[in-house]
Amino acid sequence: MIQLHLLTGKSLQNKIEGLLRSTKRPGIERVISFLADRDFYTAPASTRFHGNHKGGLAEHSYNVYLLLNKKNIDYELKIPQNSVIISGLLHDICKVGFYTTGIKNIKNKDTGKWEQTQIYQINDKLIMGHGAKSVYMLQNMIRLSVQEAMMIRWHMGPFANEGDNPYGFNDACQQVPAVCAIYTSDMEASNLFETVDKV
């Protein structure tokens, strides 16, 4: 598959930190330190789907930012640039400290023999829903606008419909149309542009 991002490692970290600093949001240095001091730049984006490799989380976050920024320009959505940066780059902050490594016996397709293979596993220490957890974590470091909070909370689209309202995602899109833009950016990054390491 095509890789949307062109940056990796330290150059990707520098780019993300520069974008976050450009928002001049009070508390943004806390966010930057939080990401750098933990595993944001080394964690996978998932255990067995998109970006399931070292550094996949940062790559995915940057890809979502790039796609969201393009939509904002192309479709004249008028999402404030700071909101594009914060929502795009930090929508999955809930995945910091979320993964551990483990060993699993997997059959080698070439030899037919079972081999011990290192895999990523989920170790969720704060179970409160994907988008809601990201909003909660960020609100402890920076103040989010209502639009940013809604975008991050609903970036998983209808798959994030936690609660009693089966139309929650549709209602969120009606209230804040930018919700639809981040959802489609997340889906496009995950399914069109990011690789999956087969295990």
Side-chain angles (χ1 to χ4, degrees):
M1 295 193 124
I2 299 167
Q3 288 284 344
L4 182 63
H5 69 88
L6 299 175
L7 303 172
T8 57
K10 194 63 176 169
S11 58
L12 179 58
Q13 181 175 346
N14 291 340
K15 182 66 174 179
I16 288 172
E17 289 178 353
L19 285 164
L20 291 172
R21 279 193 181 98
S22 75
T23 68
K24 297 182 172 34
R25 182 74 53 96
I28 202 67
E29 290 299 327
R30 286 186 66 198
V31 175
I32 291 168
S33 294
F34 178 86
L35 299 179
D37 293 344
R38 289 166 180 81
D39 65 352
F40 179 79
Y41 296 103
T42 58
S46 70
T47 56
R48 56 192 175 101
F49 302 110
H50 69 100
N52 62 336
H53 57 267
K54 184 177 180 178
L57 178 57
E59 292 168 7
H60 170 70
S61 300
Y62 186 61
N63 287 342
V64 171
Y65 156 74
L66 290 174
L67 288 165
L68 181 59
N69 192 50
K70 183 168 176 24
K71 286 179 198 299
N72 195 36
I73 294 165
D74 291 351
Y75 303 137
E76 299 178 1
L77 299 176
K78 299 180 178 156
I79 306 168
Q81 187 60 26
N82 283 354
S83 296
V84 170
I85 293 168
I86 286 169
S87 300
L89 292 176
L90 303 174
H91 71 282
D92 271 346
I93 197 170
C94 64
K95 292 182 178 179
V96 170
F98 187 70
Y99 298 106
T100 59
T101 55
I103 301 293
K104 183 175 181 180
N105 287 327
I106 297 176
K107 195 175 216 179
N108 184 309
K109 293 175 187 172
D110 297 325
T111 65
K113 294 182 180 178
W114 290 93
E115 299 174 351
Q116 287 193 340
T117 306
Q118 184 172 306
I119 60 165
Y120 287 108
Q121 300 170 319
I122 293 173
N123 183 25
D124 194 354
K125 295 183 178 92
L126 181 62
I127 301 167
M128 62 186 310
H130 189 82
K133 182 177 173 183
S134 286
V135 170
Y136 170 78
M137 290 172 69
L138 283 169
Q139 288 282 56
N140 283 302
M141 294 181 272
I142 59 173
R143 184 165 177 83
L144 298 174
S145 70
V146 170
Q147 183 180 51
E148 292 161 359
M150 290 284 284
M151 289 169 70
I152 294 167
R153 161 60 179 91
W154 288 102
H155 77 269
M156 293 286 290
F159 305 107
N161 198 22
E162 301 145 4
D164 297 330
N165 181 0
Y167 305 104
F169 174 65
N170 288 334
D171 292 346
C173 288
Q174 291 295 317
Q175 286 181 15
V176 179
V179 164
C180 184
I182 196 168
Y183 165 63
T184 56
S185 297
D186 187 57
M187 289 297 289
E188 290 165 5
S190 303
N191 294 288
L192 299 178
F193 298 106
E194 295 171 358
T195 59
V196 177
D197 292 351
K198 300 291 184 197
V199 280

